[in-house]
Amino acid sequence: MIIAWVVLAAAIGWGAWFVARGSRQALWFRVAAAAVVLIGCAASFWMYGDHLDKTLGAVIGYFLLWGSVFVLSGACAGVVVGTLIALLLG
């Protein structure tokens, strides 16, 4: 799972670097927005699941949430890193 997350983040990061053709202010806004979403994903790890009922609906919701957090956090991490590299090199 960790390797899949790193590959996803690297692919999204390369894409964010490749399409970084905006103004510096727009690129910094992209970094800030992706960082806020990434912080939200990290916060959901701590907040969700502590008081989870053991019903079928709760378990299905749990896996749907973590599946989306897995993909979204990898994408946000890639956007942050790829855009920062584009800002530093450009």
Side-chain angles (χ1 to χ4, degrees), residues 2-51:
I2 294 172
I3 293 172
W5 190 89
V6 169
V7 168
L8 173 70
I12 298 289
W14 179 83
W17 170 80
F18 187 74
V19 298
R21 307 249 193 283
S23 66
R24 293 186 72 78
Q25 185 178 11
L27 293 176
W28 279 113
F29 179 75
R30 184 186 346 178
V31 168
V36 166
V37 174
L38 187 59
I39 290 169
C41 289
S44 71
F45 279 113
W46 289 297
M47 295 178 66
Y48 191 79
D50 288 342
H51 306 291

Side-chain angles (χ1 to χ4, degrees), residues 33-76:
V36 166
V37 174
L38 187 59
I39 290 169
C41 289
S44 71
F45 279 113
W46 289 297
M47 295 178 66
Y48 191 79
D50 288 342
H51 306 291
L52 186 64
D53 296 330
K54 301 300 183 218
T55 62
L56 179 62
V59 172
I60 290 172
Y62 180 80
F63 284 116
L64 289 175
L65 175 76
W66 292 124
S68 62
V69 167
F70 178 80
V71 172
L72 187 62
S73 64
C76 287

